[in-house]
Amino acid sequence: MKRAERHPLLSGTRITGLGTLASRVLGLLRESATASLLGLAGVGDGRGVMDAFVIAFRIPNLFRRLFGEGALTASYLPVLTAHLETDRQAARQLASVVITLLIVLLTALVALGEVIFGIIWYVWGDIPRVELLMGLSAVMLPYLLFICVAAQLTTMYHASRHFAIPAVTPMVLNIVWLAAAWGVAPWFAPDQIVQAYVLAVGVVVAGLLQIAVQVPMLRRLGFHFDFNWSAARSGLKQIGRNLAPMLVGLAVLQINTFNDSLIAWGLASTPGGPETIPWLGDLLRYPLDQGAVAALYYGERLYEFPLGIVGTAVAVAIFPLLSRHAARGDSRSLGEDMTLGVRLVLSLGVPAGIGLMLMAQPVARLLFEHGNFLPSDTVRAAGTITCYSAGIWAYCATQVMVRGFYALGDAATPVRIAAWMVGLNLALNLSLIWPLAENGLAISTSIAAAVQVIVLTLIFSRRRAHLDWRSLAVVVARTIAASAVMAAVVLYTIQWTPTGAEFASRLIRVCVPIGLGGAIYCLCYRLLGGRELGMLLKGK
């Protein structure tokens, strides 16, 4: 009997998902180690260190999402894929020119950023929070260059439909970070400021290594440096036409979370400082306490776990496929695969979000509550985890929907919607931050993401390629029903799991409800006729 052909979306999703799962597990270990070192709000001279470290790390990370994994990849991959389909030499030349231009532009950007940080440090450096933030930002800014180049090397793998190396490359950052947190930083205890600088240096080293691990296999795939500006000019024009609008369209979630961090840093009171905001004429009290940025960061790290395994994995695997359908003018296949992609992320994203909302405090307690991370810090982190988790399904689906538009060369529509969502998120932030503190910032991001994906889906189906709404409705109904049973089982299981302070009790309190709830969800979903989970496991 002839073996069923493996669907490229499913096999690519499975490889990417497994690699992302391993990377996310290492990422949770790294955050656990960081929490133990720096805590949430910190104590003594270390108060506010984690807040400053988070913002300093977000700056290159935001550019990674824009110029690395985000907008540049979204505009570059379809063009590179088309070149590989027709002329591999032209593809090599295009890749060489893109990498060269990226290095030149980002090197200039890093140099400019270092000058700006230096000026701010010189003018306002006597303010302790500003001095620390500028110092950490200056150390980590070169990571911007390294990680964006590494991301474009990853794009070359994806265009060639090779997913294994890109799936394991992100682990490098986590491994180096862990080595710095476990092996180097403890030597400088209890000085949390020096420990933060140790972690910052580790981030930069990891960026260099993420480039190094990818180069050998790329050469074996036939990519080598072949700079030819004239030959690559037409491809660069295609990339350039879509790049600017994509900077906003694909990165709205990252822009929103970065804005959340800036607001949390600027509107947080400091111990012994004024209770009202001087630069607002002392008319309003500070809505946040120090540590708000760190609480948002830990909440984001937890929701990124299912987002990476589900949303990003499906989106990475589906984008080359959608680009091929679009290049051939096959709108029927485009609509079918977009529907399949949304079905996959909904069937996993909804239960993941509900489960993480229910398990927020036990998970935060297991991962973070040790060393300098206090029980009161756990409560704050669990609040942001809960609020961010409400939007996991939307974060995942947005990754897929936006790539559908970009595969068709439509960058304008996602940009318009994204611009409105940034405004909506900002308005919700300023409305909810006073009554809900940092939780208001997190729930604003979830609401904006839900509105964004609903609008994108409706527009895509009406104007671009028809989606199978009946199958989507069936998946939503099955997912909600199975998730309800799962939630009941998780809540019941939590009641009889141990509540002790020792690690074994914490581990049981997390693993038993999650394991049992996950098994119940899969069973119920299958009994209700759902096939998506089995499709992912079998890859066809």
Side-chain angles (χ1 to χ4, degrees), residues 248-279:
V248 178
L250 199 59
V252 63
L253 176 60
Q254 287 71 41
I255 292 171
N256 285 341
T257 52
F258 185 72
N259 288 341
D260 291 350
S261 295
L262 291 179
I263 292 172
W265 188 76
L267 294 180
S269 62
T270 56
E275 295 183 358
T276 56
I277 306 173
W279 49 273

Side-chain angles (χ1 to χ4, degrees), residues 10-71:
L10 299 173
S11 58
T13 298
R14 187 166 61 170
I15 294 171
T16 305
L18 289 173
T20 304
L21 174 61
S23 179
R24 289 293 191 260
V25 170
L26 287 173
L28 292 181
L29 288 176
R30 119 193 169 191
E31 303 309 343
S32 180
T34 305
S36 180
L37 286 174
L38 305 181
L40 190 79
V43 293
D45 292 337
R47 294 195 69 88
V49 170
M50 187 61 189
D51 283 354
F53 181 85
V54 168
I55 294 180
F57 180 61
R58 283 196 188 280
I59 294 171
N61 219 36
L62 176 62
F63 281 91
R64 172 178 69 87
R65 301 290 175 87
L66 295 175
F67 295 104
E69 300 169 354

Side-chain angles (χ1 to χ4, degrees), residues 206-218:
L208 279 169
L209 293 177
Q210 284 178 301
I211 295 175
V213 298
Q214 295 189 76
V215 172
M217 182 58 71
L218 276 176

